[in-house]
Amino acid sequence: LALRDQLQASGATVFIIRPGIDPEDSVSELNRLWEQQPISHLFLMTPHDGDVMVGADEILFDQRCRRGVLVPFVLCQQWIRLLKKASMLDKATLYACTALGGDLGISGNVAAIESGGLTGLIKSLHIEFAHNLENGIRVKAIDFDSQESANTMATAICRELAGNAPNLEVGYTGGKRHVAQIVAQPLESSELR
């Protein structure tokens, strides 16, 4: 809701699709909203739902996986179909706002395990679309510490949206932005055995 408020304050029209257990319900809602106006930006926020913390109950875990991973996946499939049909891929943005601790899961302070699935979805779409200049959809996983306030998260998301930083994965802890980078390191000869 904080993200909605900040986007609306900047003049954007915002629609909220609340995921249920059945992906087709979310797809139907997306199709209905698309008829009102094309949607060029999609934010996957399910890791920040109130019910992300699930115990060992198999039924609750399955429901959470459906709402937090399957529904966003199927929703993205339909959204991309609609973008392609409207020739809007180069104007589109897809952000998954994850809850892996703000450090992309390095510390193990994961608040929502579905965040890993959504990050994988973003990476797959990056491989599929971002390297093709013709289909330049912008994708990014933005990870937050569970202690970040909703307003801080919304401000960070809007900053990422307004910026042009190419980082595929970004983390925020204590209001500070972090990115992971791959750094080549020479191996010691003893490590090669």
Side-chain angles (χ1 to χ4, degrees):
L1 298 177
L3 178 59
R4 178 203 61 196
D5 293 346
Q6 287 194 27
L7 291 170
Q8 286 178 337
S10 70
T13 301
V14 177
F15 301 111
I16 295 178
I17 299 174
R18 300 195 189 283
I21 300 299
D22 184 356
E24 291 307 313
D25 292 342
S26 296
V27 167
S28 294
E29 180 65 2
L30 173 64
N31 290 334
R32 187 188 70 75
L33 294 171
W34 188 275
E35 288 178 13
Q36 293 178 31
Q37 78 178 63
I39 300 166
S40 57
H41 305 291
L42 184 62
F43 302 92
L44 304 176
M45 305 295 294
T46 56
H48 299 281
D49 288 349
D51 64 347
V52 294
M53 298 300 289
V54 295
D57 184 287
E58 188 176 329
I59 294 171
L60 291 177
F61 181 79
D62 181 59
Q63 290 175 350
R64 187 65 232 163
C65 287
R66 289 182 66 77
R67 283 189 63 208
V69 180
L70 181 61
V71 170
F73 173 74
V74 173
L75 189 69
C76 285
Q77 284 182 321
Q78 178 60 13
W79 180 66
I80 289 170
R81 282 186 202 107
L82 292 168
L83 288 169
K84 283 181 179 179
K85 188 174 180 181
S87 300
M88 290 178 54
L89 280 172
D90 62 333
K91 297 169 187 66
T93 303
L94 172 62
Y95 286 173
C97 301
T98 61
L100 293 169
D103 61 0
L104 313 172
I106 294 169
S107 67
N109 296 324
V110 175
I113 58 169
E114 67 207 53
S115 298
L118 294 180
T119 301
L121 174 64
I122 291 297
K123 289 178 177 182
S124 296
L125 290 171
H126 174 73
I127 291 167
E128 187 171 346
F129 292 108
H131 293 301
N132 185 338
L133 297 177
E134 186 178 305
N135 298 324
I137 186 172
R138 287 181 13 175
V139 296
K140 189 175 288 197
I142 308 173
D143 187 41
F144 293 99
D145 183 334
S146 61
Q147 302 304 312
E148 296 288 350
S149 72
N151 285 330
T152 299
M153 288 191 284
T155 298
I157 295 165
C158 289
R159 191 177 312 122
E160 293 293 331
L161 185 61
N164 204 17
N167 309 101
L168 181 59
E169 293 180 88
V170 176
Y172 283 87
T173 53
K176 294 182 181 171
R177 184 178 193 268
H178 308 278
V179 294
Q181 294 182 356
I182 298 172
V183 179
Q185 295 290 321
L187 290 175
E188 297 291 327
S189 60
S190 62
E191 294 179 52
L192 295 174
R193 295 180 202 169

